[in-house]
Each structure stands twice: as structure tokens, then as C-alpha cells.
């Protein structure tokens, strides 16, 4: 029997409770052995809800558990780098929610990771069968020369207590959802942008970017344009345009 990968969940964040942890539990080669919160009561409640054996009242206790191989880190953006580094120093691998860092300078700190520890940013785009199929179609030449990708990602959230509306801890639309179109472009063009132009409007109370329009030049006549907003109707769309055809993925609620 293949040894299962043993997971520890860092915090009771909603994305972990509702989506990621249940998915890990369904994987045949994985098991979730513990969950932590700075509030032990919340950790215990979450553990009981998801059927997890152990609950910890601090992140440090989770990192110290010798029966955990990998930490899933869905904490607010400003804690992605420090808690990911702390986990790797405790000997754990880490799956960190997007965006893995708030700035490029902060991301450079990941070079401190001990040898042999793996870190991955949690973008499902890179693994989802639909997205892999889209890249296969582009590679096949069926769309001709793919030159343009256009995307929209938006939702409405004006709650001042929500972490996405707190500028000092990495809130705002670009870091929360703008990162998806950027990753989509890099994944489908299979190259890196050479120039970026943006027009950003900020919420007068929160100081976060609530509407951003971006154009990214990938060179060789290829470009990605996208709009992301935290204060527009909920919508998701990606369109890929080639000289012979187009692909479209569309979700709206």
C-alpha cells in the first residue's frame, strides 16, 4: 500500500473549509491529520465539522507535529510568505494559496527555503483538465496563431471587515482575482509578459484597487487584456483568439 501524504491545514479560512480540505480528503493518496487556528475553539469546531482528528490552538503546534508532511496555507495574503517560510523551517512542504506573495521583493524571500522543501502556489488552472485541454488545442494549431486573450473576473464585496478590502494586509482585486487572468495568459501563451500597462481605480474608503484594466504584451504580437473588480456584478470569462478560431470559458452568477 502506498504511503499517504499527511496534511495539516493552517487556519479555518473559508476556502480551506469549503473547497480545498474536502478535496484533499477525497484524494486516495492523501489524508488530513490536523487543523490549526489561533483560536483553539474554532480549530476544534472545524476539525469536528470535517472529521479531522487533531486540532491545534496555534500555528506553531501544527508545524511541530511530526506526523504532518505538507501544510496548506490559506491565510490572508500578508501571512503567505512568513508562515510558508516558518513551515518549511519546521521541515514541511507547503501548498500556499494565491497570491504566494504581495510583492516581487517579498517573493524573493522564498529563496531562503531549506533544501528539499517544496512550495507550490495553489492555482488550479495549472492542473484542471479543462485548462490543460485548452492548452492542447492551442498547441495543436487548431486556432491558428493565437494572438489575443481577453478576460473579465469580478464580484461585489463592500464589506469593510472582509480581508479583501483591507489594503494593509494585501487586499484588493488585482491580488485576489487579477492573478487568475495573469496566470491564464502565462499558461496559455507559455511565455512571460514583456510590458504591462494598467489603469487602476481605488476605493476611497478602503484604499484597495476595486477596478483595474490591464494590458500585457507577451511579445511576438501576443497580448493579454483583462478587467478585474471587487465592486461589479459577479462574472468570469476568458476568451482566446487565434487567426482561425477562438475558445471561450464563461461563468456568470
Amino acid at each position: 500500500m502506498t504511503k499517504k501524504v499527511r496534511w495539516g491545514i493552517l487556519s479555518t479560512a473559508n476556502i480551506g473549509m469549503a473547497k480545498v480540505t474536502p478535496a484533499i480528503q477525497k484524494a486516495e493518496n492523501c489524508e488530513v491529520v490536523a487543523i490549526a487556528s489561533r483560536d483553539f475553539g474554532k480549530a476544534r469546531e472545524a476539525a469536528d465539522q470535517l472529521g479531522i482528528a487533531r486540532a491545534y490552538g496555534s500555528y506553531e503546534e501544527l508545524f511541530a507535529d511530526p506526523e504532518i508532511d505538507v501544510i496548506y496555507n490559506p491565510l490572508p495574503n500578508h501571512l503567505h510568505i512568513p508562515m510558508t517560510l516558518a513551515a518549511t523551517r519546521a521541515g514541511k512542504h507547503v501548498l500556499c494559496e494565491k497570491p504566494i506573495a504581495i510583492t516581487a521583493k517579498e517573493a524573493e524571500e522564498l529563496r531562503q527555503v531549506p533544501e528539499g522543501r517544496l512550495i507550490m502556489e495553489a492555482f488550479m488552472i495549472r492542473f484542471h483538465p479543462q485548462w490543460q485541454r485548452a492548452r492542447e488545442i492551442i498547441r495543436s494549431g487548431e486556432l491558428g496563431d493565437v494572438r489575443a486573450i481577453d478576460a473579465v473576473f469580478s464580484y461585489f464585496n463592500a464589506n469593510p471587515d472582509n480581508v479583501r478590502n483591507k489594503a494593509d494586509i494585501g487586499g484588493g482585486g488585482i491580488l485576489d482575482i487579477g492573478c487568475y487572468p495573469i496566470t491564464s495568459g502565462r499558461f496559455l501563451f507559455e511565455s512571460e509578459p514583456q510590458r504591462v500597462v494598467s489603469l487602476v481605480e481605488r476605493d476611497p474608503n478602503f484604499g484597495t484597487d476595486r477596478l483595474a484594466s490591464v494590458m500585457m504584451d507577451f511579445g511576438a504580437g501576443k497580448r493579454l487584456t483583462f478587467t478585474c473588480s471587487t465592486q461589479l456584478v459577479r462574472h468570469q470569462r476568458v476568451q482566446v483568439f487565434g487567426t482561425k478560431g477562438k475558445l471561450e470559458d464563461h461563468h456568470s452568477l
Side-chain angles (χ1 to χ4, degrees), residues 15 46 68 108 124 142 164 189 205 225 232:
I15 184 67
I68 291 175
E108 287 287 336
M124 65 81 191
E142 183 179 338
R164 294 165 183 82
F189 281 140
N205 298 313
T225 56
L232 288 178

Side-chain angles (χ1 to χ4, degrees), residues 193-220:
Q194 299 176 7
R195 295 185 297 163
V196 179
V197 179
S198 65
L199 183 62
V200 179
E201 193 235 354
R202 300 186 182 278
D203 184 283
N205 298 313
F206 305 145
T208 54
D209 58 285
R210 65 180 179 183
L211 176 62
S213 298
V214 180
M215 178 180 290
M216 307 183 77
D217 176 11
F218 281 77

Side-chain angles (χ1 to χ4, degrees), residues 23-146:
I24 294 172
Q25 291 175 313
K26 290 179 181 179
E28 294 181 358
N29 62 341
C30 294
E31 61 178 330
V32 177
V33 301
I35 187 168
S37 171
R38 288 175 293 185
D39 181 330
F40 176 74
K42 287 184 177 180
R44 185 67 266 169
E45 182 181 350
D48 292 342
Q49 179 182 331
L50 293 174
I52 300 171
R54 296 199 285 277
Y56 292 118
S58 75
Y59 303 151
E60 291 73 21
E61 288 179 278
L62 186 74
F63 298 156
D65 189 330
E67 296 183 1
I68 291 175
D69 304 308
V70 186
I71 297 293
Y72 168 58
N73 179 2
L75 289 166
N77 293 345
H78 71 301
L79 295 175
H80 285 182
I81 292 294
M83 289 297 100
T84 290
L85 289 175
T88 61
R89 286 193 289 265
K92 314 302 184 188
H93 305 292
V94 180
L95 176 65
C96 183
E97 262 306 333
K98 56 78 203 165
I100 203 164
I102 294 177
T103 66
K105 181 179 179 181
E106 187 185 42
E108 287 287 336
E109 296 179 28
L110 292 174
R111 297 185 185 279
Q112 304 170 23
V113 171
E115 186 175 354
R117 298 305 95 191
L118 301 177
I119 296 175
M120 180 169 285
E121 190 176 26
F123 273 113
M124 65 81 191
I125 289 173
R126 296 169 180 148
F127 302 95
H128 196 289
Q130 175 178 287
W131 284 89
Q132 292 182 340
R133 176 60 183 140
R135 189 160 68 172
E136 286 177 5
I137 292 171
I138 292 171
R139 285 174 172 174
S140 74
E142 183 179 338
L143 303 182
D145 183 13
V146 173

